[in-house]
Amino acid sequence: ILEKIDFTKSINHKQTENIIFEELSRSGFQNILIENVKQGIQRIINAPLGKAINNLKLENVRPQDKISELKFDLSLSTNNRKINSLDIANIFRCFPADHFLENYHDDVAKLNIYGHGFLTGSIDLVLPDSNDINKAKWWVIDWKSNWLGNQLEHESQPKCGPLDYSKKKMYLEMIRHHYPLQAFLYLVALHRFLDWRLPNYSPEKHLGGYSYIFLRGIPSHQEIENNVGAQYIPGVITEKAPLKALMKLNKLIQNGMI
């Protein structure tokens, strides 16, 4: 649904409703869920994505400016030198002590990565943070449906909502599933795409970063209004692109060495 709808149109627009209806039917869900889905989508497109991305809201992103499901193929080490976990882990040693990724390199080092060939994937959404395409920075958006709510046996109805998506819990979930590594790979793919398609491309000027949106954790518009000035929005992790580290990863992927 999020891939197909026009974020700038009203959630009650006939085109939007038809897309929701079609996708619910395709997945075998009852039509009575349409209003629930509309409410969830309204939360997602109305949420500010953070200071790093100038508090951009998806409802302000024009359909002609966004790219959904951007597919990519990354050739791993064109000189046949195998890429390994330790080389990748060393790239993640760049984060300061107060950053949630300060020790993430230890987790990456434990992965079983050793090989070459092709890495294929697709990015949920790519968008600019401004309508002026020549001045905009471009961002990776990734949808996550992870359940961080309670699952206690005595609960007849397990609950999951914004209160369950504290920054600490989201950071732990990011690390547990290696989403930072995923985000880095997506940003390398975006870097190469922009270098190919955007005139006068410069990573410093045009590569923004990533925003991971935990769909179940986004607050309502009223909840956001009641917490104006809050340090973060539940359900949203947005980080600027660490350019030096990304360029090292780009080089590692291309050559098998930094």
Side-chain angles (χ1 to χ4, degrees):
I1 295 173
L2 290 169
E3 176 187 346
K4 295 181 178 180
I5 64 171
D6 180 346
F7 297 146
T8 64
K9 281 182 167 48
S10 165
I11 196 66
N12 296 313
H13 191 280
K14 190 63 177 177
Q15 182 185 48
T16 303
E17 290 187 330
N18 286 341
I19 290 172
I20 296 172
F21 175 80
E22 289 171 4
E23 292 303 317
L24 285 176
S25 299
R26 190 194 314 276
S27 301
F29 291 106
Q30 297 178 350
N31 295 337
I32 58 173
L33 295 174
I34 286 180
E35 292 304 317
N36 299 79
V37 173
K38 287 166 62 175
Q39 184 183 77
I41 292 173
Q42 189 64 60
R43 288 185 177 215
I44 294 164
I45 65 175
N46 183 69
L49 299 184
K51 294 180 180 178
I53 193 173
N54 301 319
N55 286 316
L56 177 74
K57 296 181 179 181
L58 293 176
E59 64 182 3
N60 296 323
V61 178
R62 302 176 303 186
Q64 66 266 32
D65 293 338
K66 65 187 180 77
I67 306 172
S68 295
E69 296 296 328
L70 178 64
K71 295 177 173 56
F72 63 85
D73 294 291
L74 296 177
S75 177
L76 302 180
S77 184
T78 54
N79 62 10
N80 291 322
R81 185 182 183 276
K82 289 181 170 58
I83 295 174
N84 64 74
S85 306
L86 292 179
D87 287 339
I88 298 174
N90 285 332
I91 292 172
F92 281 92
R93 292 182 178 275
C94 64
F95 294 98
D98 59 345
H99 196 280
F100 82 101
L101 294 177
E102 63 173 306
N103 296 315
Y104 181 58
H105 56 87
D106 291 332
D107 298 280
V108 176
K110 297 173 185 176
L111 293 173
N112 184 24
I113 300 175
Y114 185 74
H116 57 80
F118 281 91
L119 176 65
T120 299
S122 64
I123 303 171
D124 285 342
L125 181 64
V126 169
L127 53 77
D129 59 11
S130 167
N131 290 335
D132 187 340
I133 301 302
N134 294 318
K135 295 181 179 179
K137 289 183 180 291
W138 292 79
W139 294 76
V140 164
I141 308 295
D142 199 79
W143 317 116
K144 296 301 180 187
S145 60
N146 306 50
W147 177 284
L148 299 186
N150 73 64
Q151 293 179 322
L152 299 178
E153 294 182 3
H154 67 270
E155 292 283 354
S156 57
Q157 291 292 330
K159 298 177 183 178
C160 186
L163 291 177
D164 299 300
Y165 290 78
S166 67
K167 186 171 285 190
K168 180 179 180 180
K169 289 182 71 173
M170 290 190 293
Y171 283 162
L172 289 174
E173 192 75 356
M174 292 280 290
I175 292 171
R176 182 181 299 116
H177 294 284
H178 287 288
Y179 293 155
L181 177 57
Q182 180 189 54
F184 267 52
L185 292 170
Y186 284 173
L187 285 170
V188 167
L190 177 58
H191 160 66
R192 294 188 182 187
F193 177 78
L194 293 175
D195 191 35
W196 170 45
R197 296 296 300 272
L198 189 65
N200 302 312
Y201 168 70
S202 162
E204 290 78 13
K205 292 181 180 179
H206 300 116
L207 194 59
Y210 64 85
S211 186
Y212 273 49
I213 300 178
F214 292 83
L215 304 174
R216 300 177 189 272
I218 303 297
S220 68
H221 174 72
Q222 189 59 54
E223 288 171 326
I224 293 174
E225 289 294 310
N226 290 342
N227 289 280
V228 173
Q231 295 299 311
Y232 76 101
I233 299 293
V236 178
I237 293 291
T238 299
E239 294 284 325
K240 290 184 177 180
L243 294 179
K244 289 184 179 179
L246 284 173
M247 294 307 105
K248 287 182 179 180
L249 181 60
N250 182 56
K251 187 176 180 180
L252 175 66
I253 289 173
Q254 183 173 345
N255 302 320
M257 57 189 300
I258 300 174

